[in-house]
mmCIF file of all heavy atoms in Angstrom:
data_model
loop_
_atom_site.group_PDB
_atom_site.id
_atom_site.type_symbol
_atom_site.label_atom_id
_atom_site.label_comp_id
_atom_site.label_asym_id
_atom_site.label_seq_id
_atom_site.Cartn_x
_atom_site.Cartn_y
_atom_site.Cartn_z
ATOM 1 N N ASN A 15 2.413 30.850 -28.405
ATOM 2 C CA ASN A 15 3.732 31.353 -28.824
ATOM 3 C C ASN A 15 4.602 30.163 -29.309
ATOM 4 O O ASN A 15 5.883 30.162 -29.068
ATOM 5 C CB ASN A 15 4.433 32.065 -27.655
ATOM 6 C CG ASN A 15 3.751 33.381 -27.266
ATOM 7 O OD1 ASN A 15 3.997 34.433 -27.800
ATOM 8 N ND2 ASN A 15 2.928 33.313 -26.194
ATOM 9 N N LEU A 16 3.982 29.267 -30.007
ATOM 10 C CA LEU A 16 4.752 28.112 -30.531
ATOM 11 C C LEU A 16 5.805 28.549 -31.538
ATOM 12 O O LEU A 16 6.904 28.025 -31.558
ATOM 13 C CB LEU A 16 3.765 27.158 -31.258
ATOM 14 C CG LEU A 16 3.061 26.185 -30.390
ATOM 15 C CD1 LEU A 16 2.132 25.259 -31.205
ATOM 16 C CD2 LEU A 16 4.036 25.240 -29.596
ATOM 17 N N ARG A 17 5.514 29.574 -32.325
ATOM 18 C CA ARG A 17 6.493 30.025 -33.285
ATOM 19 C C ARG A 17 7.717 30.618 -32.557
ATOM 20 O O ARG A 17 8.840 30.322 -32.992
ATOM 21 C CB ARG A 17 5.857 31.075 -34.201
ATOM 22 C CG ARG A 17 6.849 31.683 -35.217
ATOM 23 C CD ARG A 17 6.100 32.650 -36.131
ATOM 24 N NE ARG A 17 7.037 33.205 -37.109
ATOM 25 C CZ ARG A 17 6.697 34.165 -37.982
ATOM 26 N NH1 ARG A 17 5.374 34.551 -38.044
ATOM 27 N NH2 ARG A 17 7.556 34.627 -38.857
ATOM 28 N N ASP A 18 7.510 31.396 -31.448
ATOM 29 C CA ASP A 18 8.622 31.894 -30.724
ATOM 30 C C ASP A 18 9.470 30.834 -30.134
ATOM 31 O O ASP A 18 10.703 30.909 -30.100
ATOM 32 C CB ASP A 18 8.072 32.885 -29.689
ATOM 33 C CG ASP A 18 7.514 34.132 -30.256
ATOM 34 O OD1 ASP A 18 7.813 34.438 -31.416
ATOM 35 O OD2 ASP A 18 6.690 34.765 -29.578
ATOM 36 N N ILE A 19 8.805 29.767 -29.637
ATOM 37 C CA ILE A 19 9.536 28.649 -29.012
ATOM 38 C C ILE A 19 10.405 27.934 -30.103
ATOM 39 O O ILE A 19 11.520 27.585 -29.841
ATOM 40 C CB ILE A 19 8.551 27.690 -28.327
ATOM 41 C CG1 ILE A 19 7.827 28.432 -27.231
ATOM 42 C CG2 ILE A 19 9.240 26.480 -27.854
ATOM 43 C CD1 ILE A 19 6.711 27.588 -26.559
ATOM 44 N N ASN A 20 9.831 27.686 -31.229
ATOM 45 C CA ASN A 20 10.570 27.037 -32.270
ATOM 46 C C ASN A 20 11.772 27.837 -32.715
ATOM 47 O O ASN A 20 12.844 27.336 -32.963
ATOM 48 C CB ASN A 20 9.601 26.743 -33.487
ATOM 49 C CG ASN A 20 8.633 25.556 -33.256
ATOM 50 O OD1 ASN A 20 9.004 24.660 -32.622
ATOM 51 N ND2 ASN A 20 7.445 25.740 -33.760
ATOM 52 N N GLU A 21 11.528 29.152 -32.900
ATOM 53 C CA GLU A 21 12.683 30.028 -33.304
ATOM 54 C C GLU A 21 13.786 30.029 -32.221
ATOM 55 O O GLU A 21 14.971 30.052 -32.490
ATOM 56 C CB GLU A 21 12.123 31.368 -33.521
ATOM 57 C CG GLU A 21 11.288 31.506 -34.761
ATOM 58 C CD GLU A 21 10.706 32.908 -35.034
ATOM 59 O OE1 GLU A 21 10.882 33.760 -34.114
ATOM 60 O OE2 GLU A 21 10.099 33.195 -36.050
ATOM 61 N N HIS A 22 13.310 30.036 -30.917
ATOM 62 C CA HIS A 22 14.299 29.990 -29.838
ATOM 63 C C HIS A 22 15.085 28.652 -29.894
ATOM 64 O O HIS A 22 16.358 28.642 -29.706
ATOM 65 C CB HIS A 22 13.541 30.015 -28.526
ATOM 66 C CG HIS A 22 14.446 29.874 -27.353
ATOM 67 N ND1 HIS A 22 15.265 30.843 -26.751
ATOM 68 C CD2 HIS A 22 14.712 28.724 -26.597
ATOM 69 C CE1 HIS A 22 15.955 30.427 -25.774
ATOM 70 N NE2 HIS A 22 15.625 29.128 -25.562
ATOM 71 N N MET A 23 14.407 27.570 -30.169
ATOM 72 C CA MET A 23 15.147 26.303 -30.267
ATOM 73 C C MET A 23 16.125 26.293 -31.389
ATOM 74 O O MET A 23 17.241 25.738 -31.295
ATOM 75 C CB MET A 23 14.168 25.162 -30.365
ATOM 76 C CG MET A 23 13.220 24.974 -29.154
ATOM 77 S SD MET A 23 14.144 24.604 -27.641
ATOM 78 C CE MET A 23 15.087 23.174 -28.072
ATOM 79 N N ASP A 24 15.742 26.867 -32.541
ATOM 80 C CA ASP A 24 16.684 26.931 -33.675
ATOM 81 C C ASP A 24 17.913 27.721 -33.368
ATOM 82 O O ASP A 24 19.026 27.311 -33.687
ATOM 83 C CB ASP A 24 15.981 27.582 -34.891
ATOM 84 C CG ASP A 24 14.816 26.611 -35.436
ATOM 85 O OD1 ASP A 24 14.869 25.458 -35.088
ATOM 86 O OD2 ASP A 24 13.955 27.160 -36.099
ATOM 87 N N ARG A 25 17.659 28.840 -32.591
ATOM 88 C CA ARG A 25 18.928 29.621 -32.236
ATOM 89 C C ARG A 25 19.788 28.929 -31.281
ATOM 90 O O ARG A 25 21.030 28.893 -31.345
ATOM 91 C CB ARG A 25 18.445 31.010 -31.618
ATOM 92 C CG ARG A 25 17.827 31.954 -32.634
ATOM 93 C CD ARG A 25 17.648 33.333 -31.970
ATOM 94 N NE ARG A 25 16.822 33.277 -30.807
ATOM 95 C CZ ARG A 25 15.501 33.442 -30.751
ATOM 96 N NH1 ARG A 25 14.906 33.675 -31.864
ATOM 97 N NH2 ARG A 25 14.859 33.396 -29.650
ATOM 98 N N GLU A 26 19.182 28.243 -30.245
ATOM 99 C CA GLU A 26 20.020 27.592 -29.214
ATOM 100 C C GLU A 26 20.693 26.403 -29.717
ATOM 101 O O GLU A 26 21.792 26.053 -29.206
ATOM 102 C CB GLU A 26 19.055 27.163 -28.018
ATOM 103 C CG GLU A 26 18.463 28.310 -27.237
ATOM 104 C CD GLU A 26 19.567 29.020 -26.445
ATOM 105 O OE1 GLU A 26 20.469 28.347 -25.929
ATOM 106 O OE2 GLU A 26 19.561 30.252 -26.366
ATOM 107 N N CYS A 27 20.215 25.739 -30.796
ATOM 108 C CA CYS A 27 20.776 24.566 -31.277
ATOM 109 C C CYS A 27 21.757 24.762 -32.437
ATOM 110 O O CYS A 27 22.141 23.762 -33.039
ATOM 111 C CB CYS A 27 19.696 23.556 -31.695
ATOM 112 S SG CYS A 27 18.653 22.929 -30.363
ATOM 113 N N LEU A 28 22.051 26.060 -32.626
ATOM 114 C CA LEU A 28 23.053 26.330 -33.743
ATOM 115 C C LEU A 28 24.422 25.718 -33.436
ATOM 116 O O LEU A 28 25.200 25.438 -34.311
ATOM 117 C CB LEU A 28 23.143 27.850 -33.946
ATOM 118 C CG LEU A 28 22.049 28.533 -34.675
ATOM 119 C CD1 LEU A 28 22.223 30.043 -34.701
ATOM 120 C CD2 LEU A 28 21.853 28.049 -36.095
ATOM 121 N N SER A 29 24.732 25.609 -32.181
ATOM 122 C CA SER A 29 26.061 25.096 -31.775
ATOM 123 C C SER A 29 26.212 23.623 -31.917
ATOM 124 O O SER A 29 27.281 23.039 -31.759
ATOM 125 C CB SER A 29 26.361 25.431 -30.265
ATOM 126 O OG SER A 29 25.419 24.825 -29.431
ATOM 127 N N SER A 30 25.124 22.882 -32.274
ATOM 128 C CA SER A 30 25.167 21.417 -32.465
ATOM 129 C C SER A 30 26.158 20.991 -33.603
ATOM 130 O O SER A 30 26.785 19.994 -33.509
ATOM 131 C CB SER A 30 23.858 20.861 -32.597
ATOM 132 O OG SER A 30 23.250 21.218 -33.914
ATOM 133 N N ALA A 31 26.289 21.932 -34.596
ATOM 134 C CA ALA A 31 27.216 21.551 -35.656
ATOM 135 C C ALA A 31 28.665 21.500 -35.246
ATOM 136 O O ALA A 31 29.385 20.696 -35.593
ATOM 137 C CB ALA A 31 27.026 22.603 -36.774
ATOM 138 N N ALA A 32 28.986 22.527 -34.428
ATOM 139 C CA ALA A 32 30.360 22.535 -33.880
ATOM 140 C C ALA A 32 30.596 21.555 -32.785
ATOM 141 O O ALA A 32 31.722 21.125 -32.577
ATOM 142 C CB ALA A 32 30.680 23.896 -33.368
ATOM 143 N N ARG A 33 29.527 21.202 -32.055
ATOM 144 C CA ARG A 33 29.661 20.261 -30.921
ATOM 145 C C ARG A 33 29.724 18.851 -31.418
ATOM 146 O O ARG A 33 30.705 18.044 -31.064
ATOM 147 C CB ARG A 33 28.410 20.394 -29.997
ATOM 148 C CG ARG A 33 28.394 21.626 -29.111
ATOM 149 C CD ARG A 33 27.063 21.774 -28.487
ATOM 150 N NE ARG A 33 26.909 22.875 -27.585
ATOM 151 C CZ ARG A 33 27.019 22.769 -26.237
ATOM 152 N NH1 ARG A 33 27.288 21.589 -25.679
ATOM 153 N NH2 ARG A 33 26.910 23.832 -25.470
ATOM 154 N N TYR A 34 28.778 18.426 -32.220
ATOM 155 C CA TYR A 34 28.585 17.005 -32.546
ATOM 156 C C TYR A 34 28.652 16.705 -34.029
ATOM 157 O O TYR A 34 28.531 15.527 -34.442
ATOM 158 C CB TYR A 34 27.270 16.529 -32.006
ATOM 159 C CG TYR A 34 26.976 16.966 -30.604
ATOM 160 C CD1 TYR A 34 25.908 17.825 -30.272
ATOM 161 C CD2 TYR A 34 27.799 16.548 -29.519
ATOM 162 C CE1 TYR A 34 25.632 18.186 -28.992
ATOM 163 C CE2 TYR A 34 27.595 17.003 -28.284
ATOM 164 C CZ TYR A 34 26.515 17.745 -27.986
ATOM 165 O OH TYR A 34 26.216 18.185 -26.669
ATOM 166 N N GLY A 35 28.848 17.722 -34.855
ATOM 167 C CA GLY A 35 28.968 17.459 -36.285
ATOM 168 C C GLY A 35 27.613 17.220 -36.995
ATOM 169 O O GLY A 35 27.505 16.627 -38.044
ATOM 170 N N MET A 36 26.542 17.618 -36.303
ATOM 171 C CA MET A 36 25.199 17.488 -36.928
ATOM 172 C C MET A 36 24.466 18.826 -36.819
ATOM 173 O O MET A 36 24.609 19.491 -35.800
ATOM 174 C CB MET A 36 24.399 16.379 -36.139
ATOM 175 C CG MET A 36 25.011 15.031 -36.218
ATOM 176 S SD MET A 36 23.924 13.746 -35.557
ATOM 177 C CE MET A 36 22.542 13.797 -36.601
ATOM 178 N N ILE A 37 23.784 19.223 -37.894
ATOM 179 C CA ILE A 37 23.003 20.453 -38.014
ATOM 180 C C ILE A 37 21.555 20.190 -37.757
ATOM 181 O O ILE A 37 20.954 19.295 -38.426
ATOM 182 C CB ILE A 37 23.214 21.052 -39.339
ATOM 183 C CG1 ILE A 37 24.726 21.407 -39.577
ATOM 184 C CG2 ILE A 37 22.320 22.331 -39.455
ATOM 185 C CD1 ILE A 37 24.992 21.874 -40.970
ATOM 186 N N LEU A 38 20.948 20.910 -36.827
ATOM 187 C CA LEU A 38 19.543 20.827 -36.646
ATOM 188 C C LEU A 38 18.851 21.932 -37.493
ATOM 189 O O LEU A 38 18.958 23.100 -37.235
ATOM 190 C CB LEU A 38 19.190 21.143 -35.162
ATOM 191 C CG LEU A 38 19.437 19.997 -34.152
ATOM 192 C CD1 LEU A 38 19.113 20.396 -32.776
ATOM 193 C CD2 LEU A 38 18.615 18.745 -34.492
ATOM 194 N N ASP A 39 18.320 21.454 -38.621
ATOM 195 C CA ASP A 39 17.708 22.415 -39.568
ATOM 196 C C ASP A 39 16.548 23.182 -38.999
ATOM 197 O O ASP A 39 16.366 24.401 -39.245
ATOM 198 C CB ASP A 39 17.322 21.641 -40.859
ATOM 199 C CG ASP A 39 18.550 21.395 -41.790
ATOM 200 O OD1 ASP A 39 19.499 22.123 -41.607
ATOM 201 O OD2 ASP A 39 18.406 20.560 -42.633
ATOM 202 N N ALA A 40 15.683 22.446 -38.309
ATOM 203 C CA ALA A 40 14.452 23.091 -37.791
ATOM 204 C C ALA A 40 13.850 22.210 -36.746
ATOM 205 O O ALA A 40 13.901 20.993 -36.785
ATOM 206 C CB ALA A 40 13.418 23.379 -38.944
ATOM 207 N N SER A 41 13.179 22.875 -35.799
ATOM 208 C CA SER A 41 12.382 22.165 -34.805
ATOM 209 C C SER A 41 10.947 22.580 -35.053
ATOM 210 O O SER A 41 10.621 23.781 -35.134
ATOM 211 C CB SER A 41 12.834 22.580 -33.342
ATOM 212 O OG SER A 41 12.717 23.908 -33.095
ATOM 213 N N LEU A 42 10.030 21.575 -35.099
ATOM 214 C CA LEU A 42 8.672 21.848 -35.439
ATOM 215 C C LEU A 42 7.807 21.325 -34.306
ATOM 216 O O LEU A 42 7.273 20.197 -34.385
ATOM 217 C CB LEU A 42 8.272 21.223 -36.722
ATOM 218 C CG LEU A 42 9.177 21.607 -37.984
ATOM 219 C CD1 LEU A 42 8.842 20.778 -39.138
ATOM 220 C CD2 LEU A 42 8.955 23.090 -38.215
ATOM 221 N N ILE A 43 7.672 22.101 -33.212
ATOM 222 C CA ILE A 43 6.762 21.754 -32.091
ATOM 223 C C ILE A 43 5.380 22.041 -32.566
ATOM 224 O O ILE A 43 4.971 23.149 -32.855
ATOM 225 C CB ILE A 43 7.110 22.502 -30.833
ATOM 226 C CG1 ILE A 43 8.623 22.276 -30.488
ATOM 227 C CG2 ILE A 43 6.225 22.065 -29.616
ATOM 228 C CD1 ILE A 43 9.120 23.147 -29.321
ATOM 229 N N THR A 44 4.540 20.965 -32.637
ATOM 230 C CA THR A 44 3.143 21.091 -33.160
ATOM 231 C C THR A 44 2.046 20.999 -32.113
ATOM 232 O O THR A 44 0.967 21.466 -32.361
ATOM 233 C CB THR A 44 2.938 20.066 -34.234
ATOM 234 O OG1 THR A 44 3.170 18.756 -33.663
ATOM 235 C CG2 THR A 44 3.878 20.290 -35.427
ATOM 236 N N GLY A 45 2.341 20.453 -30.976
ATOM 237 C CA GLY A 45 1.382 20.243 -29.965
ATOM 238 C C GLY A 45 1.812 20.373 -28.554
ATOM 239 O O GLY A 45 2.936 19.914 -28.214
ATOM 240 N N ILE A 46 1.069 20.987 -27.660
ATOM 241 C CA ILE A 46 1.305 21.110 -26.234
ATOM 242 C C ILE A 46 0.014 20.715 -25.511
ATOM 243 O O ILE A 46 -0.903 21.490 -25.558
ATOM 244 C CB ILE A 46 1.782 22.502 -25.846
ATOM 245 C CG1 ILE A 46 3.053 22.856 -26.611
ATOM 246 C CG2 ILE A 46 2.009 22.618 -24.338
ATOM 247 C CD1 ILE A 46 3.548 24.236 -26.299
ATOM 248 N N ASP A 47 -0.010 19.567 -24.885
ATOM 249 C CA ASP A 47 -1.185 19.028 -24.326
ATOM 250 C C ASP A 47 -1.030 18.905 -22.751
ATOM 251 O O ASP A 47 -0.098 18.242 -22.358
ATOM 252 C CB ASP A 47 -1.576 17.681 -24.938
ATOM 253 C CG ASP A 47 -1.709 17.741 -26.370
ATOM 254 O OD1 ASP A 47 -2.389 18.666 -26.820
ATOM 255 O OD2 ASP A 47 -1.214 16.830 -27.134
ATOM 256 N N PRO A 48 -1.923 19.503 -21.999
ATOM 257 C CA PRO A 48 -1.877 19.322 -20.553
ATOM 258 C C PRO A 48 -2.413 18.004 -20.079
ATOM 259 O O PRO A 48 -3.029 17.244 -20.907
ATOM 260 C CB PRO A 48 -2.700 20.543 -20.091
ATOM 261 C CG PRO A 48 -3.778 20.626 -21.207
ATOM 262 C CD PRO A 48 -3.024 20.349 -22.462
ATOM 263 N N PRO A 49 -2.224 17.682 -18.839
ATOM 264 C CA PRO A 49 -2.852 16.407 -18.341
ATOM 265 C C PRO A 49 -4.337 16.416 -18.452
ATOM 266 O O PRO A 49 -4.983 17.438 -18.552
ATOM 267 C CB PRO A 49 -2.387 16.394 -16.848
ATOM 268 C CG PRO A 49 -1.209 17.340 -16.758
ATOM 269 C CD PRO A 49 -1.458 18.353 -17.809
ATOM 270 N N GLU A 50 -4.968 15.208 -18.549
ATOM 271 C CA GLU A 50 -6.389 15.095 -18.808
ATOM 272 C C GLU A 50 -7.166 15.764 -17.727
ATOM 273 O O GLU A 50 -8.230 16.387 -17.965
ATOM 274 C CB GLU A 50 -6.759 13.643 -18.890
ATOM 275 C CG GLU A 50 -6.168 12.921 -20.209
ATOM 276 C CD GLU A 50 -6.640 11.474 -20.238
ATOM 277 O OE1 GLU A 50 -7.408 11.046 -19.247
ATOM 278 O OE2 GLU A 50 -6.177 10.759 -21.137
ATOM 279 N N GLU A 51 -6.660 15.672 -16.433
ATOM 280 C CA GLU A 51 -7.380 16.247 -15.354
ATOM 281 C C GLU A 51 -7.349 17.784 -15.353
ATOM 282 O O GLU A 51 -8.192 18.483 -14.715
ATOM 283 C CB GLU A 51 -6.901 15.827 -14.038
ATOM 284 C CG GLU A 51 -5.391 16.089 -13.738
ATOM 285 C CD GLU A 51 -4.475 15.053 -14.243
ATOM 286 O OE1 GLU A 51 -4.935 14.204 -15.082
ATOM 287 O OE2 GLU A 51 -3.291 15.048 -13.838
ATOM 288 N N VAL A 52 -6.419 18.331 -16.100
ATOM 289 C CA VAL A 52 -6.375 19.808 -16.197
ATOM 290 C C VAL A 52 -7.004 20.396 -17.432
ATOM 291 O O VAL A 52 -7.427 21.513 -17.456
ATOM 292 C CB VAL A 52 -4.841 20.239 -16.212
ATOM 293 C CG1 VAL A 52 -4.599 21.746 -16.324
ATOM 294 C CG2 VAL A 52 -4.120 19.661 -14.932
#
């Protein structure tokens, strides 16, 4: 569900423009790697 996570991050970070004056255009999470022993 990487796509759902990226879309959730985009929605949650919409307020960064009003908070800090910077717009997060997109988050591109490409990899989720567990520990080597797992």
Side-chain angles (χ1 to χ4, degrees):
N15 294 274
L16 276 179
R17 179 177 179 180
D18 292 339
I19 297 174
N20 285 324
E21 291 177 352
H22 172 82
M23 295 303 301
D24 292 341
R25 291 192 301 269
E26 289 294 320
C27 294
L28 285 176
S29 62
S30 65
R33 288 169 175 261
Y34 315 117
M36 296 186 67
I37 299 174
L38 286 176
D39 278 341
S41 60
L42 305 171
I43 303 172
T44 56
I46 299 179
D47 301 316
E50 294 181 0
E51 60 272 15
V52 179

